[in-house]
Protein backbone atom coordinates (compact mmCIF):
# COMPACT_ATOMS: atom_id res chain seq x y z
CA UNK A 1 0.00 0.00 0.00
CA UNK A 2 2.83 2.37 0.83
CA UNK A 3 4.38 1.66 -2.58
CA UNK A 4 1.05 2.28 -4.33
CA UNK A 5 0.56 5.56 -2.48
CA UNK A 6 4.06 6.70 -3.43
CA UNK A 7 3.44 5.93 -7.11
CA UNK A 8 0.14 7.82 -7.08
CA UNK A 9 1.84 10.81 -5.44
CA UNK A 10 4.60 10.88 -8.06
CA UNK A 11 2.04 10.54 -10.86
CA UNK A 12 0.03 13.50 -9.55
CA UNK A 13 3.15 15.64 -9.27
CA UNK A 14 4.14 14.77 -12.82
CA UNK A 15 0.67 15.62 -14.15
CA UNK A 16 0.74 18.97 -12.30
CA UNK A 17 4.15 19.84 -13.70
CA UNK A 18 3.03 18.86 -17.19
CA UNK A 19 -0.09 20.98 -16.89
CA UNK A 20 1.93 24.01 -15.72
CA UNK A 21 4.44 23.60 -18.57
CA UNK A 22 1.64 23.27 -21.13
CA UNK A 23 -0.14 26.37 -19.81
CA UNK A 24 3.10 28.33 -20.01
CA UNK A 25 3.69 27.12 -23.53
CA UNK A 26 0.19 28.05 -24.62
CA UNK A 27 0.54 31.44 -22.95
CA UNK A 28 3.81 32.04 -24.81
CA UNK A 29 2.36 30.87 -28.12
CA UNK A 30 -0.47 33.40 -28.02
CA UNK A 31 2.09 36.21 -28.27
CA UNK A 32 4.39 34.55 -30.81
CA UNK A 33 4.00 35.31 -34.52
CA UNK A 34 3.36 32.00 -36.28
CA UNK A 35 2.41 33.20 -39.77
CA UNK A 36 2.69 36.34 -41.95
CA UNK A 37 0.43 36.48 -45.00
CA UNK A 38 1.11 39.24 -47.55
CA UNK A 39 -1.74 40.09 -49.92
CA UNK A 40 -2.32 42.75 -52.58
CA UNK A 41 1.23 43.14 -53.93
CA UNK A 42 0.26 42.38 -57.50
CA UNK A 43 3.38 43.94 -58.95
CA UNK A 44 5.74 44.50 -56.05
CA UNK A 45 8.15 41.69 -55.26
CA UNK A 46 7.41 40.00 -51.91
CA UNK A 47 11.06 40.38 -50.87
CA UNK A 48 10.64 44.18 -51.06
CA UNK A 49 7.61 44.04 -48.77
CA UNK A 50 9.50 41.85 -46.26
CA UNK A 51 12.47 44.24 -46.34
CA UNK A 52 10.32 47.16 -45.13
CA UNK A 53 8.17 44.99 -42.87
CA UNK A 54 11.18 43.87 -40.78
CA UNK A 55 8.98 41.40 -38.86
CA UNK A 56 9.46 37.64 -39.06
CA UNK A 57 7.76 34.52 -37.74
CA UNK A 58 8.97 33.25 -34.40
CA UNK A 59 9.29 36.71 -32.91
CA UNK A 60 7.07 38.07 -30.15
CA UNK A 61 4.22 40.29 -31.33
CA UNK A 62 4.88 43.97 -30.59
CA UNK A 63 2.23 46.55 -31.51
CA UNK A 64 4.85 49.32 -31.65
CA UNK A 65 6.94 47.38 -34.20
CA UNK A 66 3.83 46.62 -36.24
CA UNK A 67 2.87 50.32 -36.31
CA UNK A 68 6.41 51.21 -37.41
CA UNK A 69 6.25 48.55 -40.14
CA UNK A 70 2.97 49.97 -41.41
CA UNK A 71 4.51 53.45 -41.53
CA UNK A 72 7.58 52.21 -43.42
CA UNK A 73 5.42 50.54 -46.05
CA UNK A 74 3.33 53.71 -46.47
CA UNK A 75 6.46 55.85 -46.88
CA UNK A 76 7.63 53.80 -49.86
CA UNK A 77 5.03 55.70 -51.97
CA UNK A 78 4.22 52.41 -53.69
CA UNK A 79 1.07 51.56 -51.76
CA UNK A 80 -1.98 53.78 -51.49
CA UNK A 81 -3.26 51.78 -48.51
CA UNK A 82 -1.54 49.56 -45.91
CA UNK A 83 -3.27 47.50 -43.22
CA UNK A 84 -1.74 44.92 -40.86
CA UNK A 85 -4.42 42.77 -39.22
CA UNK A 86 -3.70 40.67 -36.11
CA UNK A 87 -5.53 37.38 -35.62
CA UNK A 88 -4.88 35.28 -32.50
CA UNK A 89 -5.33 31.54 -32.95
CA UNK A 90 -4.60 28.56 -30.74
CA UNK A 91 -0.99 28.28 -31.92
CA UNK A 92 -0.16 32.00 -31.73
CA UNK A 93 -0.47 35.27 -33.69
CA UNK A 94 -1.21 35.35 -37.42
CA UNK A 95 -0.52 38.64 -39.24
CA UNK A 96 -2.25 39.57 -42.48
CA UNK A 97 -0.54 42.38 -44.42
CA UNK A 98 -3.17 43.87 -46.74
CA UNK A 99 -1.74 46.13 -49.46
CA UNK A 100 -3.32 48.26 -52.16
CA UNK A 101 -0.79 49.30 -54.77
CA UNK A 102 -0.95 52.87 -55.95
CA UNK A 103 -0.49 54.07 -59.48
CA UNK A 104 2.97 52.91 -60.54
CA UNK A 105 3.23 55.29 -63.48
CA UNK A 106 3.65 58.92 -62.57
CA UNK A 107 3.38 61.94 -64.86
CA UNK A 108 6.08 63.88 -63.02
CA UNK A 109 6.58 66.65 -65.57
CA UNK A 110 4.14 68.22 -68.00
CA UNK A 111 3.93 71.79 -69.22
CA UNK A 112 5.43 74.35 -71.47
CA UNK A 113 7.14 77.68 -71.59
CA UNK A 114 7.49 80.46 -74.08
CA UNK A 115 10.44 82.60 -75.13
CA UNK A 116 10.59 86.08 -76.60
CA UNK A 117 13.99 85.99 -78.25
CA UNK A 118 15.72 83.66 -80.69
CA UNK A 119 19.14 84.16 -82.31
CA UNK A 120 19.20 87.67 -80.84
CA UNK A 121 15.97 88.74 -82.55
CA UNK A 122 12.55 89.37 -81.03
CA UNK A 123 10.69 86.15 -81.76
CA UNK A 124 7.90 84.35 -79.92
CA UNK A 125 8.32 80.58 -79.67
CA UNK A 126 7.25 77.66 -77.48
CA UNK A 127 8.71 74.62 -75.82
CA UNK A 128 6.55 71.75 -74.57
CA UNK A 129 7.91 69.04 -72.28
CA UNK A 130 6.58 65.79 -70.82
CA UNK A 131 8.06 63.38 -68.27
CA UNK A 132 6.78 59.93 -67.29
CA UNK A 133 8.07 57.84 -64.37
CA UNK A 134 7.68 54.21 -63.39
CA UNK A 135 8.48 54.42 -59.68
CA UNK A 136 8.23 50.67 -59.14
CA UNK A 137 10.09 49.45 -62.20
CA UNK A 138 10.34 45.64 -62.35
CA UNK A 139 8.45 45.52 -59.02
CA UNK A 140 11.66 46.19 -57.06
CA UNK A 141 11.21 49.89 -56.16
CA UNK A 142 13.49 50.90 -59.01
CA UNK A 143 12.71 54.22 -60.68
CA UNK A 144 12.73 54.68 -64.46
CA UNK A 145 12.16 58.17 -65.82
CA UNK A 146 11.66 59.20 -69.45
CA UNK A 147 11.38 62.84 -70.49
CA UNK A 148 11.10 64.62 -73.84
CA UNK A 149 10.53 68.13 -75.21
CA UNK A 150 9.49 69.23 -78.70
CA UNK A 151 9.53 72.10 -81.16
CA UNK A 152 12.56 74.35 -81.50
CA UNK A 153 13.99 73.05 -78.22
CA UNK A 154 14.14 69.28 -78.62
CA UNK A 155 15.39 66.85 -76.02
CA UNK A 156 15.05 63.30 -74.74
CA UNK A 157 16.39 61.83 -71.51
CA UNK A 158 16.25 58.62 -69.49
CA UNK A 159 17.20 58.03 -65.83
CA UNK A 160 17.28 54.80 -63.84
CA UNK A 161 17.67 54.48 -60.06
CA UNK A 162 18.16 51.11 -58.33
CA UNK A 163 18.10 50.54 -54.55
CA UNK A 164 20.74 48.02 -53.50
CA UNK A 165 18.66 46.03 -50.99
CA UNK A 166 19.16 45.04 -48.21
CA UNK A 167 21.86 47.72 -47.86
CA UNK A 168 21.00 51.43 -47.52
CA UNK A 169 22.91 52.19 -50.74
CA UNK A 170 21.45 53.00 -54.14
CA UNK A 171 22.78 53.52 -57.67
CA UNK A 172 21.55 55.73 -60.53
CA UNK A 173 22.54 56.50 -64.10
CA UNK A 174 21.09 58.50 -66.97
CA UNK A 175 21.58 60.01 -70.42
CA UNK A 176 20.31 63.25 -72.01
CA UNK A 177 20.28 64.37 -75.66
CA UNK A 178 19.37 67.99 -76.32
CA UNK A 179 19.21 70.48 -79.23
CA UNK A 180 18.35 74.13 -78.57
CA UNK A 181 18.68 77.50 -80.33
CA UNK A 182 20.40 80.44 -78.68
CA UNK A 183 18.19 83.17 -77.33
CA UNK A 184 20.62 86.06 -77.38
CA UNK A 185 23.16 84.93 -79.96
CA UNK A 186 23.04 83.12 -83.30
CA UNK A 187 24.05 79.69 -82.09
CA UNK A 188 22.63 76.18 -82.16
CA UNK A 189 23.54 73.95 -79.23
CA UNK A 190 23.72 70.16 -79.35
CA UNK A 191 24.35 68.56 -75.95
CA UNK A 192 25.02 65.00 -74.83
CA UNK A 193 25.38 64.47 -71.10
CA UNK A 194 25.37 61.47 -68.80
CA UNK A 195 25.07 60.92 -65.10
CA UNK A 196 26.23 58.20 -62.75
CA UNK A 197 25.97 58.39 -58.97
CA UNK A 198 26.04 56.30 -55.81
CA UNK A 199 24.33 57.27 -52.57
CA UNK A 200 23.05 55.98 -49.29
CA UNK A 201 20.75 56.88 -46.42
CA UNK A 202 22.40 58.19 -43.28
CA UNK A 203 20.49 58.37 -40.03
CA UNK A 204 16.70 58.30 -40.33
CA UNK A 205 16.03 61.51 -42.27
CA UNK A 206 19.16 62.17 -44.31
CA UNK A 207 20.97 60.90 -47.38
CA UNK A 208 24.22 61.63 -49.17
CA UNK A 209 25.33 60.83 -52.70
CA UNK A 210 28.16 61.58 -55.11
CA UNK A 211 28.54 61.24 -58.84
CA UNK A 212 30.04 62.20 -62.19
CA UNK A 213 28.50 64.03 -65.17
CA UNK A 214 30.32 63.67 -68.51
CA UNK A 215 29.27 66.56 -70.74
CA UNK A 216 29.73 67.20 -74.46
CA UNK A 217 28.46 70.29 -76.24
CA UNK A 218 28.63 71.32 -79.88
CA UNK A 219 28.01 74.99 -80.65
CA UNK A 220 27.41 76.17 -84.20
CA UNK A 221 27.72 79.93 -84.35
CA UNK A 222 26.29 81.82 -87.33
CA UNK A 223 27.56 85.17 -88.57
CA UNK A 224 25.55 87.02 -91.23
CA UNK A 225 27.42 89.29 -93.64
CA UNK A 226 25.57 91.68 -95.95
CA UNK A 227 27.33 93.02 -99.05
CA UNK A 228 25.95 95.81 -101.26
CA UNK A 229 26.51 94.98 -104.93
CA UNK A 230 25.85 97.63 -107.62
CA UNK A 231 23.62 96.64 -110.53
CA UNK A 232 22.74 98.41 -113.78
CA UNK A 233 20.05 100.62 -112.30
CA UNK A 234 20.28 100.08 -108.50
CA UNK A 235 22.02 98.20 -105.73
CA UNK A 236 21.48 94.62 -104.58
CA UNK A 237 22.13 93.35 -101.06
CA UNK A 238 23.67 89.89 -100.89
CA UNK A 239 23.63 88.01 -97.59
CA UNK A 240 26.05 85.26 -96.80
CA UNK A 241 26.32 83.14 -93.69
CA UNK A 242 29.51 81.86 -92.16
CA UNK A 243 29.46 79.07 -89.58
CA UNK A 244 32.01 78.31 -86.90
CA UNK A 245 31.85 75.18 -84.76
CA UNK A 246 33.04 74.87 -81.17
CA UNK A 247 33.13 71.56 -79.29
CA UNK A 248 33.37 71.42 -75.51
CA UNK A 249 34.04 68.33 -73.40
CA UNK A 250 33.78 68.59 -69.61
CA UNK A 251 33.58 66.25 -66.65
CA UNK A 252 31.62 67.43 -63.62
CA UNK A 253 31.82 65.83 -60.20
CA UNK A 254 29.44 66.52 -57.34
CA UNK A 255 28.64 65.70 -53.74
CA UNK A 256 25.10 66.27 -52.49
CA UNK A 257 23.22 65.92 -49.22
CA UNK A 258 19.58 66.01 -48.20
CA UNK A 259 17.86 66.22 -44.81
CA UNK A 260 14.08 66.08 -44.59
CA UNK A 261 12.08 66.64 -41.39
CA UNK A 262 8.75 67.53 -43.04
CA UNK A 263 5.57 65.89 -41.80
CA UNK A 264 4.81 64.69 -45.35
CA UNK A 265 6.54 64.51 -48.69
CA UNK A 266 3.44 65.64 -50.55
CA UNK A 267 1.97 69.01 -49.61
CA UNK A 268 3.68 69.32 -46.19
CA UNK A 269 2.21 71.63 -43.56
CA UNK A 270 5.03 71.72 -40.99
CA UNK A 271 8.70 70.89 -40.61
CA UNK A 272 11.79 71.76 -42.61
CA UNK A 273 14.18 70.37 -45.21
CA UNK A 274 17.71 71.28 -46.33
CA UNK A 275 19.50 70.27 -49.53
CA UNK A 276 23.02 71.12 -50.64
CA UNK A 277 25.22 70.39 -53.65
CA UNK A 278 28.95 70.90 -54.18
CA UNK A 279 29.91 70.71 -57.86
CA UNK A 280 32.99 71.38 -59.99
CA UNK A 281 34.27 70.89 -63.52
CA UNK A 282 37.90 71.00 -62.34
CA UNK A 283 38.52 67.33 -63.21
CA UNK A 284 38.32 68.17 -66.91
CA UNK A 285 37.18 71.73 -67.80
CA UNK A 286 38.42 71.62 -71.42
CA UNK A 287 38.25 75.22 -72.75
CA UNK A 288 35.79 76.38 -70.06
CA UNK A 289 36.97 78.21 -66.96
CA UNK A 290 37.34 75.71 -64.09
CA UNK A 291 35.13 76.63 -61.16
CA UNK A 292 33.63 75.30 -57.94
CA UNK A 293 29.99 75.81 -57.04
CA UNK A 294 27.83 75.48 -53.92
CA UNK A 295 24.02 75.54 -53.85
CA UNK A 296 22.19 75.43 -50.51
CA UNK A 297 18.41 75.20 -50.34
CA UNK A 298 16.44 75.56 -47.07
CA UNK A 299 12.64 75.08 -46.89
CA UNK A 300 10.40 75.74 -43.91
CA UNK A 301 6.69 75.00 -43.40
CA UNK A 302 4.39 76.36 -40.71
CA UNK A 303 0.62 75.84 -40.21
CA UNK A 304 -1.55 78.93 -39.80
CA UNK A 305 -4.27 79.52 -37.19
CA UNK A 306 -7.00 78.49 -39.65
CA UNK A 307 -7.51 74.84 -40.63
CA UNK A 308 -5.86 73.90 -43.95
CA UNK A 309 -3.99 77.23 -44.08
CA UNK A 310 -0.18 77.26 -44.01
CA UNK A 311 2.98 79.15 -44.90
CA UNK A 312 5.82 77.77 -47.01
CA UNK A 313 9.11 79.64 -47.32
CA UNK A 314 12.27 78.89 -49.23
CA UNK A 315 15.77 80.36 -49.14
CA UNK A 316 18.47 79.45 -51.64
CA UNK A 317 22.12 80.52 -51.89
CA UNK A 318 24.07 79.94 -55.12
CA UNK A 319 27.84 80.65 -55.10
CA UNK A 320 30.67 80.13 -57.62
CA UNK A 321 34.38 80.71 -57.32
CA UNK A 322 34.71 82.21 -60.82
CA UNK A 323 32.70 83.76 -63.62
CA UNK A 324 32.34 81.18 -66.39
CA UNK A 325 31.61 83.54 -69.26
CA UNK A 326 28.94 82.55 -71.76
CA UNK A 327 29.31 78.87 -70.82
CA UNK A 328 26.98 77.70 -68.02
CA UNK A 329 25.70 81.23 -67.53
CA UNK A 330 23.88 81.78 -64.24
CA UNK A 331 20.24 82.63 -64.94
CA UNK A 332 16.95 82.96 -63.09
CA UNK A 333 13.34 82.92 -64.28
CA UNK A 334 10.37 80.51 -64.74
CA UNK A 335 8.75 78.08 -62.32
CA UNK A 336 10.47 75.64 -59.97
CA UNK A 337 13.58 76.75 -58.09
CA UNK A 338 13.63 80.11 -59.81
CA UNK A 339 11.79 83.43 -59.87
CA UNK A 340 8.26 83.17 -61.20
CA UNK A 341 7.00 86.01 -63.36
CA UNK A 342 9.97 85.85 -65.75
CA UNK A 343 10.73 83.51 -68.61
CA UNK A 344 13.50 80.98 -68.20
CA UNK A 345 16.95 82.56 -67.90
CA UNK A 346 15.65 86.11 -68.36
CA UNK A 347 17.62 87.39 -65.34
CA UNK A 348 20.14 88.95 -65.34
CA UNK A 349 19.43 91.13 -68.40
CA UNK A 350 23.08 91.95 -69.16
CA UNK A 351 24.90 88.82 -68.06
CA UNK A 352 28.21 89.64 -69.73
CA UNK A 353 28.29 93.07 -68.08
CA UNK A 354 27.28 91.89 -64.63
CA UNK A 355 29.61 88.83 -64.70
CA UNK A 356 27.44 87.09 -62.10
CA UNK A 357 29.00 84.51 -59.75
CA UNK A 358 26.62 84.54 -56.77
CA UNK A 359 22.88 84.66 -56.31
CA UNK A 360 20.28 84.55 -53.56
CA UNK A 361 16.66 83.49 -53.93
CA UNK A 362 13.73 83.86 -51.51
CA UNK A 363 10.20 82.61 -51.97
CA UNK A 364 7.11 82.63 -49.77
CA UNK A 365 3.66 81.15 -50.26
CA UNK A 366 0.49 81.46 -48.22
CA UNK A 367 -1.53 78.33 -49.06
CA UNK A 368 -5.18 77.68 -48.29
CA UNK A 369 -7.90 75.21 -49.24
CA UNK A 370 -10.80 76.57 -51.29
CA UNK A 371 -12.97 73.47 -51.69
CA UNK A 372 -12.76 69.76 -50.83
CA UNK A 373 -14.65 67.66 -53.36
CA UNK A 374 -16.40 64.48 -52.16
CA UNK A 375 -14.57 61.21 -52.94
CA UNK A 376 -15.36 59.80 -56.35
CA UNK A 377 -14.28 57.03 -58.72
CA UNK A 378 -12.50 58.05 -61.92
CA UNK A 379 -14.63 56.78 -64.81
CA UNK A 380 -13.18 53.72 -66.61
CA UNK A 381 -9.79 53.99 -64.86
CA UNK A 382 -11.12 52.65 -61.54
CA UNK A 383 -11.73 49.33 -63.26
CA UNK A 384 -8.08 49.17 -64.31
CA UNK A 385 -6.42 50.17 -61.04
CA UNK A 386 -7.74 50.42 -57.46
CA UNK A 387 -5.79 53.67 -57.01
CA UNK A 388 -8.53 55.47 -58.99
CA UNK A 389 -11.24 54.46 -56.52
CA UNK A 390 -12.58 56.98 -53.98
CA UNK A 391 -10.17 59.70 -54.99
CA UNK A 392 -10.14 62.92 -52.96
CA UNK A 393 -9.89 66.16 -54.89
CA UNK A 394 -9.03 69.54 -53.44
CA UNK A 395 -8.98 72.98 -54.95
CA UNK A 396 -6.33 75.08 -53.24
CA UNK A 397 -5.19 78.64 -53.65
CA UNK A 398 -1.91 80.38 -52.89
CA UNK A 399 -0.50 83.89 -52.66
CA UNK A 400 3.02 84.07 -54.11
CA UNK A 401 6.06 86.25 -53.46
CA UNK A 402 9.41 85.52 -55.19
CA UNK A 403 12.61 87.54 -55.06
CA UNK A 404 16.08 86.93 -56.49
CA UNK A 405 19.31 88.90 -56.30
CA UNK A 406 22.27 88.21 -58.61
CA UNK A 407 25.75 89.73 -58.16
CA UNK A 408 29.38 89.37 -59.31
CA UNK A 409 30.56 88.65 -55.75
CA UNK A 410 29.24 87.61 -52.36
CA UNK A 411 30.14 91.05 -50.99
CA UNK A 412 27.97 92.74 -53.64
CA UNK A 413 25.19 90.23 -53.03
CA UNK A 414 25.02 91.06 -49.31
CA UNK A 415 25.62 94.80 -49.67
CA UNK A 416 22.80 97.32 -49.92
CA UNK A 417 24.76 99.41 -52.42
CA UNK A 418 26.42 96.48 -54.21
CA UNK A 419 26.43 95.85 -57.93
CA UNK A 420 23.41 93.59 -58.38
CA UNK A 421 20.56 92.64 -60.68
CA UNK A 422 17.33 91.79 -58.88
CA UNK A 423 13.89 90.55 -59.80
CA UNK A 424 10.61 90.28 -57.91
CA UNK A 425 7.31 88.56 -58.61
CA UNK A 426 3.94 88.73 -56.83
CA UNK A 427 0.81 86.84 -57.77
CA UNK A 428 -1.55 84.00 -57.06
CA UNK A 429 -2.11 80.37 -57.90
CA UNK A 430 -4.87 77.80 -58.32
CA UNK A 431 -4.02 74.15 -57.66
CA UNK A 432 -6.03 70.95 -58.01
CA UNK A 433 -4.62 68.36 -55.60
CA UNK A 434 -5.20 64.61 -55.60
CA UNK A 435 -3.65 63.42 -52.29
CA UNK A 436 -4.27 59.71 -53.05
CA UNK A 437 -2.05 59.91 -56.13
CA UNK A 438 0.16 62.70 -54.76
CA UNK A 439 -0.43 64.76 -57.89
CA UNK A 440 -1.15 68.43 -58.46
CA UNK A 441 -2.09 70.51 -61.48
CA UNK A 442 -0.93 74.11 -61.03
CA UNK A 443 -1.46 77.43 -62.77
CA UNK A 444 0.43 80.47 -61.45
CA UNK A 445 -0.25 84.05 -62.48
CA UNK A 446 2.63 86.29 -61.40
CA UNK A 447 3.34 89.98 -62.06
CA UNK A 448 7.11 90.59 -62.33
CA UNK A 449 8.90 93.81 -61.50
CA UNK A 450 10.51 95.56 -64.44
CA UNK A 451 14.25 94.77 -64.19
CA UNK A 452 15.08 97.76 -66.44
CA UNK A 453 14.04 100.26 -63.80
CA UNK A 454 16.87 102.02 -61.91
CA UNK A 455 17.90 100.89 -58.44
CA UNK A 456 15.40 101.85 -55.74
CA UNK A 457 12.50 102.18 -58.18
CA UNK A 458 10.15 99.18 -58.30
CA UNK A 459 7.43 98.98 -60.91
CA UNK A 460 5.45 95.86 -61.80
CA UNK A 461 4.45 95.16 -65.38
CA UNK A 462 0.73 95.32 -66.20
CA UNK A 463 0.48 91.89 -67.87
CA UNK A 464 1.23 88.84 -65.67
CA UNK A 465 3.28 85.84 -66.72
CA UNK A 466 1.53 82.49 -66.33
CA UNK A 467 3.14 79.17 -65.51
CA UNK A 468 1.32 75.87 -66.05
CA UNK A 469 2.79 72.64 -64.70
CA UNK A 470 2.11 69.55 -62.58
CA UNK A 471 3.13 68.91 -58.98
CA UNK A 472 3.86 71.38 -56.22
CA UNK A 473 6.72 73.84 -56.50
CA UNK A 474 7.90 73.11 -52.97
Amino acid sequence: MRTLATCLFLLCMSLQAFTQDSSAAISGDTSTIREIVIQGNKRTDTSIVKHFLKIDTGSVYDSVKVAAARERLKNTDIFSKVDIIKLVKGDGVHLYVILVEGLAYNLYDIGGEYYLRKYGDTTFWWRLHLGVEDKNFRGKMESLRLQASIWDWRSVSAYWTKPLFPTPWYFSTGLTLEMAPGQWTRIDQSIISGRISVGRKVFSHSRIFAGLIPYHEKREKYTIFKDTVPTVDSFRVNSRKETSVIRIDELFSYLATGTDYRNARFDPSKGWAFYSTFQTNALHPDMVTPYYQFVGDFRFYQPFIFTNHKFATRLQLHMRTKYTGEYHEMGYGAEGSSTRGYIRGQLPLNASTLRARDAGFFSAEYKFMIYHFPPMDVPVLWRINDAFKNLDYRLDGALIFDYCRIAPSLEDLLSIDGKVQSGMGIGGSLRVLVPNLQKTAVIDLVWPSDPRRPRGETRFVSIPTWHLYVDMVY
Side-chain angles (χ1 to χ4, degrees):
M1 293 295 293
R2 183 179 296 180
T3 304
L4 180 60
T6 303
C7 291
L8 290 174
F9 176 78
L10 293 175
L11 179 61
C12 290
M13 294 296 293
S14 299
L15 289 174
Q16 184 179 4
F18 177 78
T19 303
Q20 291 176 350
D21 292 342
S22 299
S23 300
I26 292 174
S27 176
D29 286 344
T30 57
S31 62
T32 301
I33 299 175
R34 296 302 182 187
E35 182 186 30
I36 300 177
V37 180
I38 300 174
Q39 299 176 343
N41 55 321
K42 300 177 181 179
R43 190 182 185 206
T44 308
D45 194 282
T46 303
S47 63
I48 302 299
V49 179
K50 291 181 178 179
H51 172 77
F52 287 96
L53 194 62
K54 298 186 186 300
I55 298 175
D56 206 350
T57 56
S59 60
V60 177
Y61 176 83
D62 187 332
S63 60
V64 176
K65 291 183 179 179
V66 171
R70 185 187 294 113
E71 194 66 23
R72 284 193 297 269
L73 287 170
K74 286 183 178 180
N75 290 338
T76 61
D77 291 334
I78 295 178
F79 308 106
S80 61
K81 186 178 181 181
V82 178
D83 280 328
I84 302 179
I85 300 173
K86 173 189 175 184
L87 182 61
V88 180
K89 297 182 180 180
D91 61 341
V93 176
H94 293 246
L95 292 182
Y96 293 87
V97 182
I98 311 300
L99 305 171
V100 177
E101 291 183 336
L103 190 63
Y105 300 99
N106 174 34
L107 199 64
Y108 75 92
D109 176 37
I110 181 172
E113 55 216 26
Y114 64 89
Y115 300 86
L116 300 178
R117 298 191 68 85
K118 181 180 178 182
Y119 298 139
D121 301 324
T122 302
T123 305
F124 183 90
W125 58 284
W126 282 88
R127 179 198 182 199
L128 296 179
H129 44 86
L130 175 69
V132 180
E133 176 190 24
D134 183 352
K135 57 184 179 182
N136 194 16
F137 181 57
R138 302 196 307 159
K140 295 182 179 294
M141 272 194 68
E142 299 175 11
S143 172
L144 179 64
R145 285 190 168 191
L146 302 175
Q147 186 182 42
S149 67
I150 58 174
W151 288 352
D152 290 11
W153 188 331
R154 302 182 296 276
S155 68
V156 61
S157 64
Y159 290 97
W160 173 51
T161 302
K162 178 180 176 57
L164 303 177
F165 293 122
T167 72
W169 295 86
Y170 62 90
F171 165 84
S172 68
T173 185
L175 180 67
T176 298
L177 307 176
E178 192 171 10
M179 298 178 64
Q183 296 185 60
W184 305 98
T185 56
R186 294 181 179 274
I187 63 171
D188 281 326
Q189 297 172 281
S190 300
I191 299 172
I192 302 176
S193 64
R195 181 184 296 268
I196 182 171
S197 65
V198 177
R200 64 159 294 162
K201 293 182 179 178
V202 290
F203 307 111
S204 58
H205 296 272
S206 301
R207 59 189 175 93
I208 184 171
F209 55 98
L212 298 172
I213 304 176
Y215 180 91
H216 171 79
E217 179 179 346
K218 175 184 175 183
R219 291 195 175 195
E220 296 186 60
K221 187 174 183 179
Y222 304 101
T223 305
I224 306 297
F225 296 94
K226 295 183 178 181
D227 300 324
T228 303
V229 180
T231 61
V232 176
D233 54 355
S234 63
F235 293 92
R236 182 178 71 248
V237 177
N238 290 339
S239 298
R240 55 189 178 90
K241 180 174 69 174
E242 291 187 359
T243 304
S244 60
V245 178
I246 298 175
R247 287 181 168 82
I248 306 169
D249 292 294
E250 294 179 85
L251 179 61
F252 292 90
S253 58
Y254 64 92
L255 175 66
T257 65
T259 301
D260 192 341
Y261 278 91
R262 298 175 295 177
N263 67 322
R265 295 183 181 180
F266 177 78
D267 191 26
S269 59
K270 62 180 179 180
W272 59 273
F274 177 73
Y275 307 96
S276 66
T277 303
F278 299 88
Q279 179 176 296
T280 180
N281 65 342
L283 291 178
H284 181 67
D286 199 3
M287 59 182 295
V288 180
T289 302
Y291 69 95
Y292 293 85
Q293 174 179 283
F294 169 78
V295 178
D297 193 322
F298 178 77
R299 309 179 188 191
F300 180 73
Y301 307 85
Q302 177 64 39
F304 196 46
I305 56 176
F306 303 114
T307 305
N308 293 319
H309 287 233
K310 55 208 167 191
F311 287 103
T313 55
R314 184 176 187 178
L315 181 63
Q316 185 183 94
L317 181 62
H318 190 165
M319 297 185 297
R320 287 180 178 175
T321 56
K322 295 180 181 179
Y323 172 64
T324 60
E326 61 179 309
Y327 306 105
H328 313 304
E329 193 79 68
M330 184 180 293
Y332 277 75
E335 77 284 352
S337 60
S338 196
T339 311
R340 285 165 290 186
Y342 303 90
I343 61 176
R344 186 177 299 275
Q346 185 176 358
L347 300 175
L349 292 182
N350 300 309
S352 58
T353 302
L354 186 64
R355 300 176 64 84
R357 292 191 302 137
D358 303 297
F361 169 72
F362 174 78
S363 177
E365 288 189 357
Y366 173 53
K367 305 178 183 182
F368 51 91
M369 187 181 72
I370 298 176
Y371 184 71
H372 192 178
F373 297 90
M376 64 184 73
D377 296 338
V378 179
V380 181
L381 293 180
W382 73 269
R383 299 180 181 273
I384 301 174
N385 194 293
D386 292 339
F388 292 102
K389 293 181 179 180
N390 296 319
L391 285 185
D392 281 330
Y393 295 84
R394 268 180 27 218
L395 177 62
D396 281 14
L399 301 179
I400 296 171
F401 174 80
D402 284 355
Y403 176 76
C404 74
R405 188 177 174 93
I406 310 169
S409 68
L410 187 60
E411 182 180 356
D412 285 311
L413 183 68
L414 301 177
S415 174
I416 298 178
D417 300 323
K419 182 180 179 182
V420 298
Q421 169 81 72
S422 62
M424 185 188 305
I426 57 173
S429 175
L430 287 177
R431 299 162 181 181
V432 178
L433 289 82
V434 188
N436 306 60
L437 302 180
Q438 298 191 0
K439 300 300 299 179
T440 308
V442 182
I443 180 170
D444 294 336
L445 288 177
V446 182
W447 284 261
S449 62
D450 189 346
R452 296 168 298 182
R453 308 302 299 180
R455 182 193 295 271
E457 182 179 333
T458 302
R459 179 177 297 178
F460 292 91
V461 301
S462 58
I463 301 177
T465 301
W466 58 271
H467 306 283
L468 178 64
Y469 50 97
V470 296
D471 294 340
M472 302 293 289
V473 178
Y474 61 93

